[in-house]
Amino acid sequence: MLEVRLLRARVEVTILLADVHAFLDNLKGPLNLVGFRTKYYEYLIRTVLELLDIPTDKLTFVTGCLIIGRLLLPTHPRLQPRRLRLAATITEHDAKKAGAEVGQQVERPLLSGLLYPCLQALDEEYLDVDFQFGGVDQRKIFTFAELYLPRLGYTKRAHLMNPMVPGLGGGKMSASDPTSKIDLLGTPEVVKKKIKAAFCEEGNIEENGVLSFVGAVIIPISELRKERILAAQQKQEAVENLAKPFVVEGAPDDAVFSIGRDEKWGGPSHYSSFKALQDEFAEKKVHPGDLKNAVTKAISELLKPIRAKYEVNPEWKDIEAKAYPSLKDEKAVKKKEKVYHPPPPGKGRNTAKPPAGDAAAPS
């Protein structure tokens, strides 16, 4: 949620839609599909920020193709020699090490995978940014950029990182693994099914994607909603139509998350911080099933207005169809025509078998 706080603080934010980078990362997708997917993600990001009431006038989207176009422009007076110096400065070992945590690891990696960290480091210069923000899985690329950009005569940038939210299976969340994540256009039925199957071991707070999602997404959004309601009340504005925090009726004023339970099971529990919830889960005071039910309800509520925006936007639907074509759209499945092949002489079902007594005697 750091991007949200930066935008609320009126910081100029540039989001790089890394289409070329995705193509270079072991060919995750052809360039034409990757191009549509960048537009699809821009729709998603803008819609989410709009629903959170976050100002976007300081937000800019840039594609990797634009930056690559600048890098490959042979007539540019600065870029040609810099490009050659880059190739003559970076070692194969350092490039491979920098991309180890973000690129797909395969038995026979392509040369394109070595370009990935180089391009991401150069993005800082050609986007003219003061700092780069990413997950902790980007730390090796950030270290790589801090080492090599000054050698090319560029300014060393600052780097901000946030912790990675575990996937629903307990490991790293991955876009290539649908079971590890919740799609922002997911239906309530799909959300319920995925959360039900998610890893959420009782007392485990380390590799717990369900619990981590509460701390990384649900509670921060709940806090935003409380702030908005408080600001409206101070201005004596109506609050009935504002989105409510993820608490049940009767929750204390400082609560930002509630787990609803029937009274016979102890009644609802309320939490004023993620730390409070985390501590109770570690002490096994919160059952995984109760946590999953609360998270399922909160996520479904979060995604409902996003889906509503999607359903009334034909351009967004068209982009999604082009970005993620179904198997039937990609390849027309043709039924094989049955061709009759006659059996060899003396073979087949209808071949008359000779009587037992007519069998030829061995000579």
Side-chain angles (χ1 to χ4, degrees):
M1 298 294 286
L2 179 59
E3 303 97 322
V4 169
R5 292 197 289 270
L6 291 172
L7 288 169
R8 294 183 74 200
R10 312 301 291 153
V11 174
E12 293 183 0
V13 175
T14 299
I15 294 181
L16 173 63
L17 299 169
D19 46 1
V20 175
H21 306 61
F23 173 74
L24 292 174
D25 184 12
N26 201 40
L27 305 180
K28 279 184 176 176
L31 273 176
N32 62 324
L33 285 187
V34 172
F36 288 126
R37 288 172 186 177
T38 59
K39 295 178 183 177
Y40 171 79
Y41 280 116
E42 182 174 348
Y43 271 115
L44 273 179
I45 294 169
R46 287 193 181 278
T47 300
V48 170
L49 293 175
E50 176 188 339
L51 292 171
L52 292 176
D53 198 25
I54 304 301
T56 57
D57 56 308
K58 297 284 186 178
L59 175 63
T60 304
F61 287 90
V62 177
T63 63
C65 280
L66 177 64
I67 301 175
I68 300 302
R70 293 178 184 174
L71 283 171
L72 298 181
L73 190 63
T75 56
H76 196 290
R78 281 196 316 129
L79 302 186
Q80 181 72 6
R82 301 286 185 179
R83 192 166 69 244
L84 296 176
R85 282 187 59 196
L86 176 68
T89 303
I90 296 173
T91 66
E92 179 267 347
H93 172 271
D94 286 356
K96 187 175 181 180
K97 180 181 177 182
E101 289 191 47
V102 293
Q104 290 192 13
Q105 301 304 303
V106 294
E107 186 177 344
R108 302 179 67 182
L110 300 173
L111 179 61
S112 59
L114 299 179
L115 294 176
Y116 186 110
C118 303
L119 294 176
Q120 185 170 332
L122 287 171
D123 291 340
E124 298 179 356
E125 176 66 21
Y126 297 108
L127 289 174
D128 193 26
V129 297
D130 298 308
F131 62 87
Q132 184 177 174
F133 167 63
V136 293
D137 63 334
Q138 304 281 328
R139 62 187 181 275
K140 291 182 179 179
I141 291 184
F142 291 168
T143 302
F144 176 87
E146 291 181 8
L147 175 64
Y148 281 105
L149 287 191
R151 294 185 184 183
L152 296 175
Y154 296 146
T155 303
K156 184 199 296 190
R157 268 69 176 190
H159 296 96
L160 307 179
M161 291 179 284
N162 65 342
M164 302 293 290
V165 178
L168 296 179
K172 182 179 178 181
M173 188 181 295
S174 172
S176 58
D177 180 8
T179 63
S180 73
K181 62 186 179 67
I182 298 293
D183 189 87
L184 288 174
L185 295 178
T187 62
E189 295 76 21
V190 172
V191 171
K192 183 177 181 179
K193 183 178 179 181
K194 286 190 175 185
I195 296 297
K196 185 177 180 180
F199 176 78
C200 187
E201 183 182 32
E202 188 175 19
N204 185 340
I205 63 173
E206 299 300 326
E207 295 294 327
N208 191 328
V210 178
L211 180 65
S212 297
F213 195 85
V214 177
V217 179
I218 295 177
I219 286 181
I221 290 178
S222 193
E223 290 171 341
L224 281 175
R225 291 179 172 184
K226 290 192 70 172
E227 289 178 17
R228 194 188 311 167
I229 291 173
L230 180 60
Q233 289 173 337
Q234 291 174 344
K235 295 178 182 178
Q236 297 184 339
E237 297 174 351
V239 298
E240 289 77 13
N241 295 326
L242 295 179
K244 304 299 187 290
F246 300 106
V247 296
V248 299
E249 188 175 353
D253 291 339
D254 63 345
V256 290
F257 183 67
S258 294
I259 294 179
R261 280 188 298 251
D262 193 281
E263 290 297 337
K264 66 180 179 180
W265 303 116
S269 53
H270 313 286
Y271 304 94
S272 59
S273 68
F274 178 60
K275 181 67 166 56
L277 171 63
Q278 197 175 37
D279 289 345
E280 285 207 359
F281 193 87
E283 296 167 7
K284 299 185 179 182
K285 294 180 179 179
V286 176
H287 190 274
D290 294 331
L291 177 64
K292 284 185 174 185
N293 289 338
V295 171
T296 299
K297 182 179 179 181
I299 292 178
S300 296
E301 182 187 326
L302 271 176
L303 301 189
K304 184 178 179 180
I306 300 176
R307 278 202 64 84
K309 294 274 187 180
Y310 165 80
E311 292 294 346
V312 297
N313 191 328
E315 291 183 6
W316 189 355
K317 286 185 174 183
D318 181 58
I319 287 295
E320 187 203 28
K322 292 176 179 177
Y324 298 96
S326 66
L327 186 60
K328 290 182 180 179
D329 293 333
E330 287 185 86
K331 295 180 180 179
V333 180
K334 295 183 179 180
K335 290 185 177 180
K336 280 189 175 182
E337 294 182 7
K338 291 185 177 180
V339 179
Y340 175 72
H341 297 284
K347 304 289 183 181
R349 295 183 197 171
N350 300 324
T351 303
K353 293 183 179 180
D358 294 348
S363 55

